[in-house]
Structures are given as structure tokens and as C-alpha cells.
Amino acid sequence: MQLRKHFLLSFLALSSNVLADSVLFESNEYSSGALGLGPFQTFMSSPSTPAIWNFIVPYNESTSGQIEEGLILLAPRGTNVNSDGGLIYDKAGNLVWDGTEFGQTLTFKTDTYKGETVILMWSPGTILGSGVGAGYDLIINNQYEVIANFTADLNGTLADFHDIRLTSNDTALITAYQAKPWDLSAFNITNGWLLDSIAQEIDPSTGKAIFTCKSLGVASDHVNTSLCYASPGSSGTAEDNPWDYFHINAVNKDDLGNYLISSRHCHSIYYVGSDGNIIWNIGGMNSSVTMNNGTTFTWQHDVRWQNNQTQISLFDNEGTAWELDSSSSRGLLLDFDAAGNQVSFNKEWLPYNVTVSESQGNVGILDSGNTIIGWGQIPWFSEYDSNGQLLYVVQFGVGDVQSYRAYSANWTATPTTRPSVFVAENEFNTTVYTSWNGATEVVTWQLYGSTSDSPQLAIPLSNTTKNGFETIIPFNSSSTNYKYYQVAAFNSNEKIIAFSNFTASDGSSQGPAANQTVDSSSNNSTGSATPSSSAGLRSTVSPIFSTSSPLSSTGGALQNLVRLPSVLAALWIIVALL
Ligand SMILES: *[C@@H]1O[C@H](CO)[C@@H](O)[C@H](O)[C@H]1NC(C)=O
Ligand SMILES: *[C@@H]1O[C@H](CO)[C@@H](O)[C@H](O)[C@H]1NC(C)=O
Ligand SMILES: *[C@@H]1O[C@H](CO)[C@@H](O)[C@H](O)[C@H]1NC(C)=O
Ligand SMILES: *[C@@H]1O[C@H](CO)[C@@H](O)[C@H](O)[C@H]1NC(C)=O
Ligand SMILES: *[C@@H]1O[C@H](CO)[C@@H](O)[C@H](O)[C@H]1NC(C)=O
Ligand SMILES: *[C@@H]1O[C@H](CO)[C@@H](O)[C@H](O)[C@H]1NC(C)=O
Ligand SMILES: *[C@@H]1O[C@H](CO)[C@@H](O)[C@H](O)[C@H]1NC(C)=O
Ligand SMILES: *[C@@H]1O[C@H](CO)[C@@H](O)[C@H](O)[C@H]1NC(C)=O
Ligand SMILES: *[C@@H]1O[C@H](CO)[C@@H](O)[C@H](O)[C@H]1NC(C)=O
Ligand SMILES: *[C@@H]1O[C@H](CO)[C@@H](O)[C@H](O)[C@H]1NC(C)=O
Ligand SMILES: *[C@@H]1O[C@H](CO)[C@@H](O)[C@H](O)[C@H]1NC(C)=O
Ligand SMILES: *[C@@H]1O[C@H](CO)[C@@H](O)[C@H](O)[C@H]1NC(C)=O
């Protein structure tokens, strides 16, 4: 990466809040928008401009011990986002991977594919006027290589963004939407168009559908559209303006071979057999399952089985762009009693600052019992301990900044790219800035310098502990005039896992010396989903304690954000495509 100093400096001069690896605590300036509606940071060694975090509720000495180890996956997008796309941070708020080279995504999570931890991403994709997507689903390995690229298997209809997840059989569950001509004369719409919600199970290695399930299709086997909660409004009039009456936004499969599907616009969860029949449904106007006190949900997202199918978690939005059903959204955990055909309230996770998120959002129950809630349209996420105690709240934007979901996950990766180096010199000192986008295993950076025109003669000069995304290596060069600098990345086993190019202060660079080879087996357990047993191969999460004075925190003002369109109801039909 050729980074030109003058470019970076002029870029820096244009932005007021440009601190590398900056994290704020209870900052009223941030929350009020005084730092901009999408505060971002910049680096010397990288063109990344990730969102800066503001800990609305910072963790402290009593709560930090409860935080579950892991990294945070966000996918900020919106008119106030500098560069849309997937971002991985450590829990202290330092960037780990900037995935914006792939562009905007909505689903952005880790999963397991053929025994390896991978990243799933919807990219590239287009958000259509109807509020659904048409794009591709990617599986990315822990060297950031795309190992599968597939879409819906529907005769040209591309994959929607609302869900991608992998099954234990290495198949992918995805969503798709198709506009269909439909008789909407009951709604006074002539030549009506309805949006069919589709769940597909795809074999990523072939791109072929193993199973397809549609909300429309067999007229004799449908749910009445009057069961849906959104009128067509001005939609339903044309193929590019269909009525999204069902709005699928989550699909799961269990080992019985049945599918659990969320319909936002019917406020309902459908359990569909492998033959395409609805086995039961929870919620909405015709729940077949008895809903006990406290279990009603509306406009929900991220419906998941929990605890061996004895519980269901979901993000209960409690509102849309045009309707507020209560004073706040919530994470909701339901106890599912299959034998008694009923659901009961187990627990809820309420936001720190009571607000309804009109769209998006998710609930991630972690192995420890901790829970991460992504507040969707509101650029906040929160972690709670297993007792429901709030551990911290992070704000990652102020204006139109949204992340469809927020995840906490373990992720170790060693990119195929080289570390990046930027050299800044003055008369007395040299400062070397280094970063390696996506690398999780670097512990120490060793600096090399060459006084000769032959960079290959560089010798080791110093070691600096990796600090955040970009490590700043100050070097007093008053007595020696080095022409080229280089860094090597050491992992926790004191093995070199990468060499940078040799880089001069004018930005010119040359590749490493021929004898600077890296033993790839000294990288972390590349490709293994199981953490290595070797000591300390985890990415370190430095605990942060807020030292700021106890300012009263302010909530992120909710802006008039992107609204997903409306809709209503139906039935699942199966098109088994074997
Ligand atoms: C390293 O140098 C090579 C050859 O000049 C160049 O193609 C590559 O982009 C450089 N890599 C980095 C990370 O600077
Ligand atoms: C995935 O496949 C599509 C269709 O061939 C292509 O346009 C896109 O560039 C591919 N994405 C990646 C990351 O290779
Ligand atoms: C697939 O799409 C083509 C072109 O739009 C169309 O002619 C054909 O009938 C479609 N096939 C099916 C099975 O829908
Ligand atoms: C359809 O139009 C008729 C006549 O204007 C009106 O009485 C009726 O309420 C309308 N129905 C709906 C569903 O809008
Ligand atoms: C995995 O495949 C087995 C054998 O075909 C099947 O019984 C099981 O239901 C499948 N599980 C999932 C989650 O697809
Ligand atoms: C229903 O649950 C609410 C809390 O969600 C509780 O305050 C109320 O007492 C419950 N009502 C009944 C009849 O159990
Ligand atoms: C999950 O539940 C099923 C059915 O009740 C039971 O047979 C199975 O043993 C359970 N599995 C685990 C891991 O508890
Ligand atoms: C990450 O790994 C650690 C150590 O194995 C484990 O305690 C933690 O639950 C994992 N975190 C997540 C989010 O899976
Ligand atoms: C040069 O670096 C040394 C050590 O980091 C520092 O003490 C000194 O102030 C620096 N001098 C200048 C002129 O930047
Ligand atoms: C690599 O080769 C250079 C000369 O080209 C030599 O000075 C250096 O010591 C060698 N390094 C190693 C690790 O062998
Ligand atoms: C940096 O640390 C590595 C690993 O401990 C060590 O092998 C190397 O000699 C150190 N380099 C310097 C310049 O101290
Ligand atoms: C909560 O958010 C609102 C705006 O939605 C704001 O006016 C209020 O100050 C916030 N309250 C707290 C305690 O953060």
C-alpha cells in the first residue's frame, strides 16, 4: 500500500476529530453531534475511517470482569457513515478489521463452515426501493479470502440481506424476495403486485437450493392477508412497488429438519416442516400457540432457537416508522413448552435509555449467558451479564448511522496481505506508524532500519508492544540516518508471522528480503475453529476503565432514519428443489 504523506496530512487537516485508535467515554460532545453525526477516526498507515465509539455507559472495575472475551462485529451504514461496511473491533473499541473494501453489508457475522470459523457477509448487494435486497452471500476464511460466493437459486432473483446462517451440515439458510402479480382488488388495487417472502437452503459449494419455502404459491393453502399488520398504503401497484405483506427477516433450521421463520409484518414466528406445512405459529392475530402474559411482540427481528429448542430469543422492536406500540424495544426470551403448546415470558433486556428502534436489531446470547443487544436503527449496542445486569453501552454514531445487527464473537485471523508502514521524519526523530488490517495475533512489532541504499541490510532496532489498530513506534534517529524502515510482527510465541515491505520516508517501498520467510505454522491455528492450546494465542482485550468525571450521559438523538416499508400475512409453501 503506497501511502503518500501529503495525501494523509491534507486528509487529516480536513477533519476535526481525527485521532487514531480513539475511544470516548460519556462524551456529551459526541452525543450532542458536536463531533459530527458520524464521528470517525483516521490512521497514518491505513486509509480506514472507522466509526469512533463513545461508551455511553463505560465498564468499570466491578463490571469489566463480567465482560465476555470476544470481538465486536458491526456493519455501520447510512448517510452519516464515512465508509459503509463490515468492521471488527476489540471490546475496548480499537479497530481490528476494516472490511469496507467489500462495501455495504447488512448481515455480517461469524459462523462455522467445514469446521472453520468464517465470516458471512452480504456483498455486493443493492437495497431495492421495496426495502429488501438483491445481492450475493460471501463466506470469508481467516485469511480474508472469499471461499464461497453464492446467491438465491431462483432463476435470476438474487439473495436478500435479511439473513444468512450456516447449518451443522454446511448448508446456508438465506432469504429472498420476489414480486408476483396478485389479486389485490379487495384493497382497491387493480393489477396488484405482492412481494413473496422466500427462505432457501443453499449448498454454498454448488449454489444449488436444497429447499425452498415461499410465503405465497398455493392459493388453497394460504394464510389470509388480513392477518398482517400493515396495510398496502401506496404499495402494491407495480412490480417495482409490490406490497411486502409478510417480510421474512430470519430463518433457522433444526436437526429435525424443520425451519423457524420470522415474519415481521405478521408479528409471527412460523415453524415449517420439511414438507412445507406450517406446524405451528407464535404471535400475530392467529397464534396457534398459547401466549402467556408478557410474551406479545411486534415488528420483531432475529428470531432464534435457544437452549436446545426450549426457548426462543428475539428482538422485539415494538414499533415501525409509522407505529409505536410501546415506549421501548427490548430483547425478549420466551420459554417454549412444546408439550403444553404455550410460550411464557422468561426475561427481557431493556435499553439503557428507553427508546423504540423502528427497524433492525438483534439479540446475541453468548456461551457465558451474557447477551449482546444491537439496537438496529439506533447506533448503539449493549452487553448484559447472565443476570441481565447492564455491563456497558456503546454509541457508534449520532445521526443516520445504523448497524443491522451487532455480534460478539471470537475470531483469529492472519491476513495474506503485508503489514502497512508509514514513515514520518523530522530533523531529529523518525516515527514509524504500522498496522496490519485484520491481523489478530500480533503482540509485538520489531522495527528494522537500513542505512544503506540496499534495504536488505536492515538491522533490528527496537521492539514495541502492539497498541490498538495502529502502533506508533517513535525512534530517535538523530545519530543515525536510516534510509529504509521495516517492521516484523511477533506473535505471543515470539515467532515472526509477517514482515512488512521496506519503506522510505518518501513512501517508496520494496518487498522483504528473500531470506525473510515466515513459517506459516507459527501463525495461529489458521483454519481451526478450536482455540489453540498454546499459551496466549488469543487476541488481547485490554480492559478499559473510565477515568472521566461522572458527567451525565446523553442519549443519541434519534434521527429520521431509513425506514423499511410496510406489509402483511400468509402461508408457507414448499417448492422442494432436489
Ligand atoms: C509491498 O510492496 C509491493 C511491491 O512494491 C507492493 O505491491 C505492495 O502493495 C506493498 N505492500 C504494502 C502493504 O505496502
Ligand atoms: C461474487 O459473485 C458475483 C457474481 O458473479 C460477482 O459480481 C462478485 O464480484 C463476486 N464477489 C466476490 C467478492 O468475488
Ligand atoms: C426464468 O426466467 C426467464 C427469463 O425471465 C423466464 O423466461 C422463465 O420462464 C423463468 N423460468 C421459471 C421456471 O420461472
Ligand atoms: C374501496 O373503495 C370503495 C369505494 O370507494 C370503498 O367504499 C372501500 O372502503 C374501499 N376499500 C378499501 C379496502 O380501501
Ligand atoms: C443434516 O443432515 C442430516 C442427514 O441428511 C439430517 O438428518 C439433518 O436433519 C440435517 N440437519 C440440518 C440442520 O440440516
Ligand atoms: C403480567 O406481567 C407483568 C410484567 O410483565 C406483570 O406486571 C403482571 O402482573 C402480569 N400479570 C399477570 C396476570 O400475571
Ligand atoms: C435436546 O432435546 C431433545 C428432545 O427433548 C433431547 O432428546 C436431547 O437429548 C436434547 N439434547 C441436549 C444436548 O440436551
Ligand atoms: C471466546 O473464547 C473464550 C475462551 O475460550 C470464551 O470464554 C468466550 O465465551 C468466547 N466468546 C464468544 C463470544 O464466543
Ligand atoms: C525525539 O524523540 C525523543 C524520544 O522519543 C523525544 O524525547 C524528543 O522530544 C523528540 N524530539 C523532537 C524534536 O521531536
Ligand atoms: C538476510 O540476508 C542479509 C544479506 O542479504 C543478511 O545481512 C542478513 O543477516 C540475513 N538475515 C538472516 C535472518 O539470515
Ligand atoms: C524483539 O522481541 C523478539 C521476541 O522476543 C526478540 O527475539 C528480539 O530479539 C527482540 N528485538 C529487539 C530489537 O529487542
Ligand atoms: C435519552 O434519549 C433522549 C433522546 O432520545 C434524550 O433526550 C435523553 O436525554 C436521554 N436520556 C438519557 C438518560 O440518556
Side-chain angles (χ1 to χ4, degrees), residues 202-259:
I202 303 273
D203 178 350
S205 64
T206 63
K208 294 292 175 208
I210 291 161
F211 179 83
T212 303
C213 179
K214 303 185 177 190
S215 65
L216 292 173
V218 178
S220 62
D221 188 23
H222 69 277
V223 175
N224 194 312
T225 53
S226 67
L227 294 174
C228 295
Y229 288 85
S231 69
S234 58
S235 75
T237 58
E239 184 171 7
D240 63 0
N241 182 34
W243 179 23
D244 182 6
Y245 77 102
F246 189 92
H247 199 89
I248 187 172
N249 62 14
V251 51
N252 309 271
K253 188 186 182 192
D254 58 32
D255 281 326
L256 301 171
N258 300 324
Y259 299 82

Side-chain angles (χ1 to χ4, degrees), residues 444 446-447 460-463 490 494:
T444 302
Q446 178 168 253
L447 179 68
L461 301 176
S462 68
N463 276 346
F490 279 91
E494 306 192 348

Side-chain angles (χ1 to χ4, degrees), residues 256 307-310:
L256 301 171
N307 199 10
N308 193 23
Q309 297 184 219
T310 60

Side-chain angles (χ1 to χ4, degrees), residues 1-2 418-420 501 509-511:
M1 199 175 301
Q2 297 276 58
R418 292 193 182 287
S420 245
N501 283 348
S509 78
Q510 292 184 30

Side-chain angles (χ1 to χ4, degrees), residues 348-424:
E348 64 185 359
W349 296 269
L350 293 172
Y352 163 70
N353 190 0
V354 171
T355 34
V356 168
S357 180
E358 296 171 358
S359 70
Q360 310 162 83
N362 71 308
V363 175
I365 300 178
L366 309 176
D367 290 348
S368 64
N370 280 17
T371 300
I372 295 275
I373 309 273
W375 298 99
Q377 189 170 298
I378 302 173
W380 290 26
F381 69 89
S382 320
E383 183 167 348
Y384 301 77
D385 73 10
S386 54
N387 298 318
Q389 182 200 354
L390 183 62
L391 300 176
Y392 62 85
V393 182
V394 168
Q395 170 181 30
F396 52 92
V398 180
D400 178 12
V401 177
Q402 321 180 31
S403 184
Y404 182 61
R405 294 176 184 152
Y407 288 99
S408 174
N410 284 318
W411 173 247
T412 58
T414 300
T416 56
T417 56
R418 292 193 182 287
S420 245
V421 168
F422 179 79
V423 179

Side-chain angles (χ1 to χ4, degrees), residues 166-171 173 201 253-259:
L166 299 173
T167 70
S168 48
N169 288 346
D170 294 327
T171 57
L173 301 167
E201 182 176 0
K253 188 186 182 192
D254 58 32
D255 281 326
L256 301 171
N258 300 324
Y259 299 82

